[in-house]
Amino acid sequence: MSAAPVPKPPDRPPVPRAGGPLTQAVLDSIADPTTRAVELSLRASIDDLTGLANRTTFFARLRDALSRRTRLAVVFLDLDNFKLVNDTLGHNAGDDLLRQVAERLRRVVRPEDLVARLGGDEFAILAGDIDDLAAEGLARRICDALVPAFRLDGRERHITGSVGCRTCSAADLETVSEETLLRDADAAMYRAKDSGRNGVHVFSDETRLAVLERVELEQGLRAALADQQLEVHYQPIVDLRSSRVTGVEALLRWPGGRGPDEFIPVAEETGLIVPIGRFVLEEVCAQLGRWGRAGLTELVATINVSAYQLREPGFVEAVAEVTARHGLSPSTVCLEFTESAFAAPDERTLASLHALKDLGIYLAIDDFGVGTSALSQLKRLPVEVLKVDRSFVDGLGSDPEDTAIVASILSLAHAMGLHVVAEGVEAPAQAEELLALGCSAAQGWLFAPAMPADDVPGFVLASRRRQPVRRPAARRREPAPAPERERAQSSLVLELMSQIGITVEGT
């Protein structure tokens, strides 16, 4: 499907169709030297990589549409995590992805719509004579067009996009320009990203305020990093059998600023996560060195690492350098990654992980059970620790389903020789249930919140005198349904192990 040609002004050469590339044959057919200016104009109006209209053509068409004073909509598409595609698969794969996206966009727009690549992984669609409902429907079709897997580098890859939509009614025509419309569509796209990505957001006045707030957050975060306002706090990780502190998790704090749930996504989106990650790694290793000289040599510090950091050139070497410079045994450092970071690990990622493990660094998967990774990837990853997400821990001791899920994760981990840490433990009943299920390590407000580094030594020493978690005299059993539930749980564990290639004798 192709879109209608751009209207031809009297003194301007025609602009290419937006729905498909101008072939070399068409250009070669312009043999008359007097028409070379037309050829050059045609070349200047399309995007060489995708054959779509380019940014200049898009603005010319949008300007013309506004002059006709008709309803229209601008839809803005930005691919999610496109940088990771270039970083892990190479720029050729990135270019191939852009071409495939362009082809899918051509198939979902109307014949009269203009599709353009503005640059990088940004696309825009201009739809004329369209009402608000139809414009939103177009935006959702564009988002849905990315759902089927893309074939890249010989493998299927799932790529999502965030879509913003800005409609323009007759009443808006007095106050908007082409720059305003595109800016507003771009702002709506960022709201879609802030809402979890892979979605659509339609611009409103609230969108403008939210984007201004996001810009302020980004600027404030940059200033906080430059002015050394960011701090690292530490939440103890406790051995449930003895109540002794065996490790800490390093958690970033912005005093006087936003919470990490707000500023970390912005840091990842803007690339600030890389220098922030370097700061945290340096700070934690320096602190481990100070604690070691004070006699706290048994603590293991867990550091959260973004997938962006892992794929940065020189990351493994930086970890080796900073641990050596502070005189640390690598086994006192555990790097923690979210489960979704390993959804489809490429060879470069796996090589980095194995190199880190060869250094002696512990590797952990955070929020296990809530991410998007395939279980088949688990046996390929050189991880030693699974961290159970607090959403499963919440129902321990009261919700049979949460208990069954945690029991299944523990059974799987133990079968693979992995350690397990439960997060978000807030009640004694949860700690008791974890201990009964075979989980010996946990963290949460039941034991302590994250605290400044200076408070850690006192807490560690006090934990050595604390009473251990009460171990139930007998494992609590449900009434009649318990055997069925246990059989179902056993079946689930065997199924999970089968999926990742582990064979259990006698089954």
Side-chain angles (χ1 to χ4, degrees):
M1 180 182 293
S2 61
V6 177
K8 178 183 177 183
D11 58 347
R12 186 180 299 169
V15 194
R17 295 165 62 87
L22 275 175
T23 65
Q24 189 62 43
V26 172
L27 294 174
D28 291 343
S29 69
I30 307 176
D32 188 343
T34 62
T35 63
R36 301 306 287 174
V38 175
E39 177 185 352
L40 292 175
S41 178
L42 289 172
R43 286 187 179 277
S45 64
I46 64 171
D47 174 57
D48 289 339
L49 178 64
T50 63
L52 299 175
N54 62 14
R55 189 181 191 93
T56 300
T57 302
F58 182 83
F59 273 102
R61 175 77 172 265
L62 179 55
R63 193 177 304 114
D64 181 67
L66 287 173
S67 70
R68 295 200 302 270
R69 307 183 66 81
T70 59
R71 294 181 62 91
L72 57 88
V74 173
V75 180
F76 195 105
L77 165 67
D78 183 270
L79 301 182
D80 298 328
N81 297 322
F82 178 71
K83 183 177 183 296
L84 294 183
V85 175
N86 278 335
D87 290 347
T88 58
L89 301 181
H91 289 277
N92 287 338
D95 290 348
D96 187 20
L97 173 61
L98 294 175
R99 284 189 289 265
Q100 292 185 50
V101 169
E103 183 56 36
R104 293 191 187 187
L105 293 180
R106 292 185 186 104
R107 294 200 298 261
V108 298
V109 299
R110 305 174 305 172
E112 62 268 33
D113 297 336
L114 179 78
V115 185
R117 177 178 174 237
L118 302 183
D121 61 327
E122 296 179 342
F123 297 84
I125 295 88
L126 172 60
D129 192 21
I130 191 170
D131 60 33
D132 293 356
L133 186 61
E136 183 175 354
L138 173 62
R140 296 199 179 280
R141 291 201 305 276
I142 289 169
C143 190
D144 292 344
L146 304 182
V147 171
F150 292 87
R151 191 74 179 174
L152 298 173
D153 197 30
R155 296 177 58 186
E156 289 192 344
R157 310 279 179 167
H158 289 277
I159 308 295
T160 61
S162 298
V163 181
C165 179
R166 170 59 153 105
T167 59
C168 179
S169 66
D172 295 328
L173 294 172
E174 298 296 332
T175 58
V176 300
S177 64
E178 56 270 23
E179 291 83 4
T180 301
L181 288 175
L182 192 62
R183 181 199 66 195
D184 291 348
D186 180 60
M189 179 275 295
Y190 272 107
R191 287 296 290 159
K193 284 191 181 294
D194 292 342
S195 299
R197 305 181 182 181
N198 189 26
V200 172
H201 185 86
V202 179
F203 182 84
S204 65
D205 289 339
E206 289 77 13
T207 306
R208 183 179 288 110
L209 294 176
V211 170
L212 290 175
E213 184 179 356
R214 184 188 183 281
V215 170
E216 291 177 359
L217 192 158
E218 178 187 342
Q219 293 173 344
L221 186 58
R222 289 184 184 277
L225 179 62
D227 297 341
Q228 300 182 331
Q229 298 173 12
L230 300 178
E231 298 178 358
V232 179
H233 287 197
Y234 300 86
Q235 184 171 46
I237 298 173
V238 174
D239 186 330
L240 294 176
R241 298 164 297 188
S242 65
S243 289
R244 292 169 67 96
V245 175
T246 59
V248 291
E249 180 177 0
L251 299 170
L252 191 62
R253 296 291 183 261
W254 181 4
R258 307 293 186 85
D261 288 346
E262 292 183 83
F263 70 76
I264 291 297
V266 173
E268 290 187 333
E269 188 66 38
T270 59
L272 282 172
I273 195 65
V274 174
I276 288 175
R278 285 196 293 264
F279 158 74
V280 173
L281 179 65
E282 175 68 35
E283 179 65 23
V284 174
C285 288
Q287 186 59 62
L288 279 173
R290 290 191 287 269
W291 284 335
R293 292 188 291 274
L296 296 180
T297 57
E298 75 278 13
L299 288 182
V300 175
T302 298
I303 304 171
N304 291 279
V305 177
S306 166
Y308 293 91
Q309 295 171 255
L310 180 61
R311 295 179 174 97
E312 276 289 305
F315 176 73
V316 176
E317 292 76 10
V319 173
E321 187 277 329
V322 73
T323 52
R325 178 159 42 84
H326 290 288
L328 303 179
S329 166
S331 62
T332 60
V333 176
C334 177
L335 299 183
E336 182 175 302
F337 305 88
T338 59
E339 187 179 5
S340 57
F342 302 131
D346 56 276
E347 294 308 316
R348 177 176 167 183
T349 298
L350 290 172
S352 295
L353 291 172
H354 281 286
L356 289 168
K357 185 175 182 179
D358 290 343
L359 287 175
I361 302 291
Y362 283 107
L363 302 176
I365 296 181
D366 192 19
D367 301 335
F368 186 75
V370 300
T372 58
S373 73
L375 280 169
S376 59
Q377 303 293 348
L378 189 56
K379 68 176 182 178
R380 302 178 62 204
L381 303 173
V383 298
E384 291 110 334
V385 182
L386 300 183
K387 301 193 75 173
V388 181
D389 186 66
R390 65 179 305 138
S391 62
F392 299 133
V393 174
D394 284 345
L396 282 179
S398 59
D399 187 333
E401 292 185 355
D402 280 350
T403 302
I405 290 172
V406 173
S408 299
I409 292 174
L410 285 165
S411 297
L412 178 64
H414 293 160
M416 299 184 67
L418 304 177
H419 301 285
V420 177
V421 178
E423 299 180 296
V425 179
E426 298 181 352
Q430 295 170 343
E432 293 172 12
E433 187 70 17
L434 285 166
L435 196 55
L437 291 172
C439 179
S440 59
Q443 64 188 96
W445 278 62
L446 175 64
F447 313 107
M451 61 186 68
D454 291 344
D455 295 345
V456 171
F459 186 86
V460 172
L461 294 175
S463 76
R464 297 173 180 174
R465 302 186 296 270
R466 195 171 295 118
Q467 290 295 317
V469 172
R470 181 175 63 85
R471 183 185 295 271
R475 176 70 189 277
R476 177 178 57 80
R477 297 284 184 183
E478 299 289 337
E484 287 76 9
R485 181 175 295 113
E486 288 184 1
R487 283 194 292 271
Q489 176 187 319
S490 176
S491 176
L492 174 60
V493 173
L494 292 175
E495 181 182 346
L496 296 179
M497 294 172 67
S498 174
Q499 288 184 32
I500 62 176
I502 298 177
T503 302
V504 180
E505 294 182 2
T507 60

